[in-house]
Each structure stands twice: as C-alpha cells, then as structure tokens.
Amino acid sequence: MTATPVCRSCHRTDGDIVLDLGEQPSSELFPKIDDPGPDELFPLRMWLCTGCGLAQLADDADVPEEVVGAEPAALTAQRADAVRALAAAGALPSGGTAAEFPSPHGGTWLDLLAEHGFTAVPREEGADLVVDGCFGVMHERDQDAAIRERTAAVRPGGRLVVQYHSLHAIVAGSQWNALRLGHYAYYSTPAMIGMLRRAGFTVTTARRFPLYGGTVALVAARTSESPTVDTAAVDAVVAPELAAGVLLPGKVGVLQQSVRRTAGSLREMLVAQRAAGRRVYGYAAASRAVSLLRLADLDATLLRGVADASPDKQDRRMPGTDIPIITPEELVAAEPDVVLVFVSELVAEAKAALPEIERRGGTWVDAGAGR
C-alpha cells in the first residue's frame, strides 16, 4: 500500500496527486548499450501540498547518479541574462563574496559574478551573495532543510538568489514530462516565497525569463533586516501564476490530460513514418525524453537512435528501451528523414551545428514542446 505523502517543505500530509506517470525507469542512469535490462522501474507521481502549495514527487526512490549532459547554449545565455538583469536592477549586493550551491546539471554563476566585483568563497564560510541558480535545490529530498541550509549561508546584510523552472510554465506548456525521478520539487513563485518566508527570508525582487517556457529568479534577504522590496517586480511574477491557479489541484491536474495525447500522437506519427519507409531519429538524450519514450512504447524499429553531444551518454541506450544513443556524426551519416529534438531550446543550436541534416533533405521537429 502506498504511503501517504508528507510535504517536503511544510511537513503536512493533506494534498492531491495531480500527475501520475506510472512506473518509470531512472532518468538519471543511461544503461550501456550492451546491457539488455530490464531496467528497474519506480513510481513517478506529482503531489501538490494543500498547506504550502509545493508541487513535489510523491514517492522517494533511490536512483543512481546521473550522467551529466552537455549544457545547452540557451541555458548558458539565460544565466548571463539573469546576472545582468539583477545587477542592473540593483538587486545584488555591491560586490563582496559569493558562494554557490552546486547542481547535477553543472553550470556556475561565479565567473559571471566575478565581473561584478564578487570573490568566490566556499559556501561553508558564508557569503554576501549565495546563489542556487543552476536548478540545484530541486534535487534535495528535504526541501525545508535545503532552503534553510541556503539561507544560513547568507551573511548579515547579504542576499540569496534562487532560480527555478516555474510550475506555471510547466502547466501552461503541458510540460508533463518535466516530472522526473531525482527532481523532488516543482516550484510556483507563491510556494517558493512561502518556503523562504518560513526560513526567515523575504523576497525582495523577482524576474521571469523565457528559458523552458518560464524560468524565475528570486532575490531574498533576512526579514529581520527589513529589506526594501520591489513590490511591482514581485507582483508582476506572482499575479499571473495565481491567476493561472498554480496552487489549485484542479488547475495543475490538467497536466494529466495531455499525457496520453502527447505519447499517443508521437507513436502514431512514428508508425506512419515507418510504414512510409522514412528514417526517424532523435536528438538530445534528455531526462525529459525518458518517460515520453516509455509511455509512447517506442523501440529502435520506430526511433532508430537518439544523438547526443555528451560523450558520457554515447554508447548507451535510452532507459527502458533498446534505442541507442549515438554521436552527432553518426546521426549525420545515417541521413535521417526526420529528427525529433527532445529539448525545445536545442532546436536552433542543433540546426546550426548539423546543417548537413537539412542539406540532405532531413527535417527537424520540435518534440520537446508540450502538446
């Protein structure tokens, strides 16, 4: 019998399952191509806490460490945009020390912050500016403890920056396959503001960026220090999210309706392409593709391979399938008729890197967008 979820932030037990993707393989482990499986499966469900509004994994699973992929250029650009925007708004301290909480996704703000007068220090020492800007905190099972650890690292008078893919964007874009094992929390801005408030911090400003359909960066300071709040900037992010119902299970639960439609239409398309004798491949062996491929019941007869620029993912296969992960060079040599890109932000980058695909008559298709 499935245990009642306990909120990872406020520790209440009242809430609702708003998305259920059934049993899924780990999206953090890409088995070697010669590993026949079967791959271990785990329940994958999103639960929305009634008390604090945090969307989160309903279940715990011990999944292996992920193979780190190549960072999209769009993510690198987004990080630079965030630093420029926050610095220009005067939302950051005027220099001092900076510390960062790491992320399995890689990436760092520290080199960019150095250009604004910040000296990097170990986070254990505390800093004037503490950053969780590369989506690190969502990997923490205990969200309350994780937020308190980050706020505790901020020196008096300092600031904390937290950046996350917003639940609002996930729901609005039908991005149900953003749900994955190892990502324990999915933040609406109202929920994140509440989490910081319980840790004794007040959000002083907010910015929304277009990455992944909507990425939010919040800056916060100790409430006891009576910080100045840019109310207009915070409201500009919070108001649309509340209007969209990010705290309501009936609104967030519409994600479930798009699962069968997306997976079913993908399979139908690939079956038709195979019947027509057309060769279909994928690009980007991303974690979000794992549940999509499994729910669409795909194999290597329908999707011949998925190319990825990360050497650590090559010579492996997509979890839960026999679909091999190949190099970009192998993708070009295969002369595909169709290439499905499983991360929308990589479409332009992939086209630019592999112009031979279109030159030889192939077509790129964005399969990362919600349907």
Side-chain angles (χ1 to χ4, degrees):
M1 185 173 180
T2 304
T4 300
V6 177
C7 181
R8 301 175 187 278
S9 179
C10 73
H11 309 298
R12 287 176 56 167
T13 57
D14 47 328
D16 299 271
I17 297 294
V18 290
L19 179 60
D20 188 343
L21 300 185
E23 300 283 313
Q24 294 292 336
S26 169
S27 54
E28 298 202 7
L29 174 65
F30 292 80
K32 288 288 189 179
I33 192 64
D34 58 358
D35 178 352
D39 300 333
E40 188 173 5
L41 302 178
F42 307 90
L44 184 55
R45 306 182 298 162
M46 180 188 286
W47 184 77
L48 185 68
C49 176
T50 300
C52 69
L54 179 64
Q56 56 201 277
L57 288 186
D59 310 280
D60 283 338
D62 291 322
V63 292
E65 292 296 321
E66 67 183 321
V67 176
V68 177
E71 183 175 75
L75 182 52
T76 304
Q78 145 69 26
R79 190 159 53 241
D81 287 344
V83 172
R84 279 194 297 268
L86 295 176
L92 306 179
S94 55
T97 56
E100 185 173 54
F101 279 78
S103 166
H105 297 290
T108 180
W109 284 45
L110 295 179
D111 51 349
L112 296 166
L113 290 171
E115 299 174 9
H116 292 272
F118 289 93
T119 301
V121 297
R123 66 180 186 275
E124 294 79 11
E125 296 180 6
D128 300 306
L129 179 61
V130 174
V131 179
D132 191 310
C134 298
F135 313 102
V137 70
M138 69 188 308
H139 295 83
E140 302 284 353
R141 293 189 189 211
D142 188 333
Q143 287 288 298
D144 182 44
I147 291 295
R148 292 182 186 279
E149 182 183 13
R150 284 152 178 78
T151 56
V154 180
R155 289 179 177 172
R159 294 291 185 270
L160 171 69
V161 175
V162 180
Q163 181 172 254
Y164 50 90
H165 183 201
S166 76
L167 181 64
H168 182 205
I170 292 171
V171 175
S174 300
Q175 299 178 49
W176 56 266
N177 56 339
L179 183 69
R180 50 154 286 191
L181 296 164
H183 283 182
Y184 290 97
Y186 302 82
Y187 311 101
S188 67
T189 303
M192 178 59 82
I193 288 173
M195 294 169 73
L196 291 166
R197 183 187 304 119
R198 288 191 294 278
F201 270 58
T202 294
V203 169
T204 58
T205 194
R207 293 291 187 278
R208 186 180 184 277
F209 301 92
L211 183 72
Y212 301 143
T215 295
V216 173
L218 298 183
V219 181
R222 282 187 177 80
T223 304
S224 61
E225 296 172 349
S226 302
T228 300
V229 177
D230 185 343
T231 304
V234 175
D235 287 348
V237 175
V238 171
E241 295 195 16
L242 290 175
V246 292
L247 302 178
L248 304 175
K251 296 292 186 179
V252 180
V254 301
L255 286 169
Q256 190 72 55
Q257 300 171 16
S258 62
V259 174
R260 186 177 297 275
R261 181 174 66 250
T262 306
S265 63
L266 177 60
R267 179 173 177 81
E268 289 174 6
M269 185 269 279
L270 290 177
V271 168
Q273 293 285 345
R274 181 176 63 183
R278 292 170 62 80
R279 302 178 303 279
V280 182
Y281 285 77
Y283 186 89
S287 59
R288 71 182 70 181
V290 172
S291 58
L292 175 60
L293 300 188
R294 176 169 168 77
L295 289 168
D297 193 23
L298 301 188
D299 59 25
T301 70
L302 290 168
L303 187 66
R304 299 188 178 199
V306 177
D308 197 277
S310 171
D312 290 332
K313 289 185 178 180
Q314 294 157 8
D315 295 323
R316 296 175 180 267
R317 60 177 172 81
M318 295 299 295
T321 78
D322 64 347
I323 299 169
I325 301 173
I326 61 177
T327 67
E329 294 75 18
E330 289 173 316
L331 176 65
V332 170
E335 298 189 357
D337 297 297
V338 178
V339 182
L340 306 176
V341 185
F342 293 114
V343 179
S344 299
E345 289 73 18
L346 284 176
V347 174
E349 186 177 331
K351 285 184 176 183
L354 304 174
E356 302 92 338
I357 299 294
E358 290 181 310
R359 211 157 42 223
R360 297 177 183 180
T363 302
W364 296 93
V365 175
D366 182 0
R371 298 288 190 272

